[in-house]
């Protein structure tokens, strides 16, 4: 398999700079208008000859980092759109950079997409102008992290689950529940690891959905004050057994290699690396389900090169380009056709709708309850960030 880029791609995905998403309740109409970046394009013109892309490391490779890794050059040759790229390390960094107006396209995770939409930084997209959109898995389309009121704000890229990793020597029988990092965490005190981000609160909420149904949690990103408090209490208890919170995947690989960590949240690609090195580890999707991510390519509302931007969204969703890009990072591709160009789709459960249905993809918490409740106000991302600081102490 190809190794993921030499960077903590999702490390510290969420920082402290919080953008308001209160306007989101006004976003998105059937026509794609509103306070969310204007209308979608109705037709395309000639390509402008250039496009500026803001992306996670490893998402826009042109051979500079590795001469054998290049899916940008074919795009340039095909479209005439020269590509300039800037990478970012956190979603908050991307949010701030998008406000400069210097970028036509951004790859956004679910903890950033709604904030970009609410801030008017990205525009709706006309999927009819993106031929390869038709081949994308249906379960990735029209989702809360990439659409508002049925209006698409981008094209799905790759996706994956935040899995439970365990040391097979410590756990000769594979665990089936997240209880090993929550209610039973003390059994491995000091060797439990957890993802270092406010969005990890949702992992606790997924667990509580199954084990404390009286809390009434129906969506782990839609928590009222009492539900958030319950998740915080669970994570404070877990904190006593956590040896290290991780955001750099290389550090987690090292911790499981040395045995400093024996159980905790992880990604399939990390397990693939560890397996290749002969480490005694494995991963499982527990019975409660899991959180995960589904990234979205979005177009700036004031894009200077909208035609080349649309060309990029179509190209990166094409089977071969999508296969190459998602394999390089280490995630499932966005279409079955992409699997014709990969030999590891089974390991990533690509296209498995039942598997995907067990994943709660990262979605920005907002005051408008995402689970449909109207009798309460849900906690927003700022509240989650404050809670995370409290949890970690």
């Amino acid at each position: 398999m190809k190794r993921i880029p030499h960077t903590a791609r999702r490390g510290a995905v969420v920082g402290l700079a919080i953008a308001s998403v209160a306007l989101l309740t006004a976003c998105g109409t059937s026509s794609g208008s509103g306070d969310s970046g204007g209308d979608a394009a109705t037709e395309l013109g000639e390509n402008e000859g250039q496009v500026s892309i803001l992306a996670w490391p490893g998402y826009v490779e042109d051979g500079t980092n590795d001469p054998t890794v290049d899916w940008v050059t074919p795009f340039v040759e095909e479209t005439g759109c020269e590509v300039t790229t800037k990478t970012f390390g956190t979603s908050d960094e991307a949010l701030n950079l998008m406000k400069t107006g210097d970028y036509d396209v951004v790859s956004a995770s679910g903890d950033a997409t709604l904030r970009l939409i609410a801030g008017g930084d990205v525009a709706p997209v006309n999927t009819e102008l993106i031929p390869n959109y038709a081949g994308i898995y249906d379960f990735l389309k029209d989702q809360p992290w990439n659409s508002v009121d049925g209006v698409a704000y981008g094209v799905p890229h790759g996706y994956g689950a935040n899995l439970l990793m365990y040391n097979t020597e410590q756990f000769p029988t594979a665990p089936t529940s997240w209880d090993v990092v929550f209610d039973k965490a003390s059994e491995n005190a000091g060797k439990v690891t957890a993802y270092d981000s406010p969005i990890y609160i949702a992992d606790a909420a997924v667990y509580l959905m199954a084990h404390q149904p009286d809390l009434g949690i129906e969506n782990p990103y839609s928590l009222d004050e009492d539900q958030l408090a319950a998740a915080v209490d669970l994570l404070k208890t877990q904190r006593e057994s956590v040896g290290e919170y991780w955001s750099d995947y290389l550090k987690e690989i090292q911790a499981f290699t040395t045995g400093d960590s024996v159980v905790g949240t992880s990604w399939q690609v990390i397990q693939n690396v560890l397996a290749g090195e002969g480490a005694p580890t494995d991963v499982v999707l527990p019975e409660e389900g899991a959180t995960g991510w589904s990234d979205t390519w979005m177009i700036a509302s004031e894009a200077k090169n909208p035609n080349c931007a649309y060309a990029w969204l179509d190209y990166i969703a094409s089977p071969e380009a999508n296969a190459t890009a998602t394999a390089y990072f280490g995630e499932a591709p966005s279409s079955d056709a992409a699997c014709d160009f990969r030999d590891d789709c089974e390991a990533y459960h690509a296209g498995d709708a039942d598997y995907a249905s067990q994943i709660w993809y990262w979605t920005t918490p907002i005051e408008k309850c995402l689970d449909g409740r109207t009798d309460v106000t849900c906690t927003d991302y700022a509240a989650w960030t404050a809670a995370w600081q409290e949890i970690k102490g």
Side-chain angles (χ1 to χ4, degrees):
M1 61 161 287
K2 296 180 179 178
R3 295 292 294 271
I4 48 184
H6 303 294
T7 180
R9 176 260 190 259
R10 292 182 189 278
V13 167
V14 183
L16 301 180
I18 302 300
S20 171
V21 290
L23 291 177
L24 201 59
T25 56
C27 289
T29 66
S30 58
S31 63
S33 60
D35 299 320
S36 51
D39 297 329
T42 56
E43 59 182 6
L44 297 179
E46 294 185 6
N47 289 339
E48 299 87 356
Q50 61 187 4
V51 64
S52 179
I53 302 175
L54 182 63
W56 287 111
Y59 270 24
V60 185
E61 292 294 314
D62 62 2
T64 301
N65 295 318
D66 183 340
T68 66
V69 179
D70 180 4
W71 53 87
V72 170
T73 298
F75 168 75
V76 175
E77 293 174 345
E78 178 182 317
T79 65
C81 301
E82 294 290 338
V83 175
T84 57
T85 308
K86 182 175 179 59
T87 60
F88 56 86
T90 71
S91 286
D92 286 327
E93 183 182 351
L95 285 164
N96 291 331
L97 288 169
M98 281 299 289
K99 293 186 182 301
T100 67
D102 293 337
Y103 307 97
D104 301 305
V105 176
V106 60
S107 66
S109 292
D111 60 304
T113 50
L114 296 189
R115 289 187 282 168
L116 287 166
I117 294 170
D121 300 310
V122 294
V125 297
N126 184 345
T127 58
E128 293 183 0
L129 300 178
I130 305 171
N132 283 306
Y133 186 83
I136 291 175
Y137 295 127
D138 287 340
F139 59 78
L140 296 179
K141 298 176 180 177
D142 194 24
Q143 297 297 331
W145 60 87
N146 58 30
S147 303
V148 176
D149 292 343
V151 178
Y153 277 82
V155 173
H157 177 65
Y159 68 98
N162 296 313
L163 301 169
L164 175 62
M165 176 170 281
Y166 61 96
N167 181 298
T168 55
E169 296 174 349
Q170 186 72 16
F171 295 89
T173 300
T176 60
S177 169
W178 287 106
D179 62 2
V180 292
V181 299
F182 289 122
D183 290 336
K184 297 180 180 179
S186 60
E187 296 178 7
N188 291 284
K191 294 190 174 183
V192 175
T193 187
Y195 190 56
D196 191 2
S197 166
I199 208 69
Y200 182 68
I201 292 172
D203 291 58
V206 168
Y207 183 73
L208 292 172
M209 286 172 66
H211 296 274
Q212 293 189 34
D214 56 306
L215 289 170
I217 299 174
E218 296 185 5
N219 183 316
Y221 304 102
S222 188
L223 307 179
D224 60 35
E225 290 186 1
D226 291 340
Q227 293 166 339
L228 177 62
V232 169
D233 287 344
L234 180 62
L235 291 169
K236 283 183 176 179
T237 300
Q238 182 199 52
R239 176 71 180 90
E240 300 172 3
S241 299
V242 172
E244 180 181 26
Y245 289 97
W246 71 276
S247 58
D248 183 336
Y249 78 94
L250 292 174
K251 290 183 178 179
E252 183 174 48
I253 289 172
Q254 181 180 17
F256 272 92
T257 299
T258 61
D260 289 337
S261 292
V262 299
V263 67
T265 186
S266 189
W267 304 326
Q268 180 66 52
V269 67
I270 293 176
Q271 168 57 23
N272 292 351
V273 173
L274 286 165
E277 297 176 352
T281 61
D282 207 345
V283 290
V284 63
L285 180 67
E287 59 192 13
E288 298 92 354
T291 61
W293 73 88
S294 173
D295 288 347
T296 304
W297 289 104
M298 311 180 86
I299 296 178
S301 54
E302 300 297 331
K304 298 180 179 67
N305 304 288
N307 296 296
C308 280
Y310 265 88
W312 174 261
L313 263 63
D314 187 48
Y315 170 78
I316 201 63
S318 65
E320 186 169 5
N322 185 258
T324 305
T326 55
Y328 181 67
F329 173 70
E331 58 192 338
S334 63
S335 69
D336 267 339
C339 287
D340 292 339
F341 298 92
R342 288 180 59 170
D343 59 7
D344 59 351
C345 274
E346 185 175 354
Y348 289 93
H349 300 272
D352 187 337
D354 180 63
Y355 184 89
S357 70
Q358 300 175 66
I359 303 173
W360 291 93
Y361 298 99
W362 284 344
T363 306
T364 309
I366 58 176
E367 290 187 357
K368 179 182 178 181
C369 294
L370 300 172
D371 57 14
R373 286 180 293 170
T374 58
D375 58 334
V376 296
T377 298
C378 281
T379 52
D380 63 11
Y381 200 72
W384 283 41
T385 300
W388 187 244
Q389 293 175 315
E390 181 184 341
I391 290 162
K392 294 188 64 179

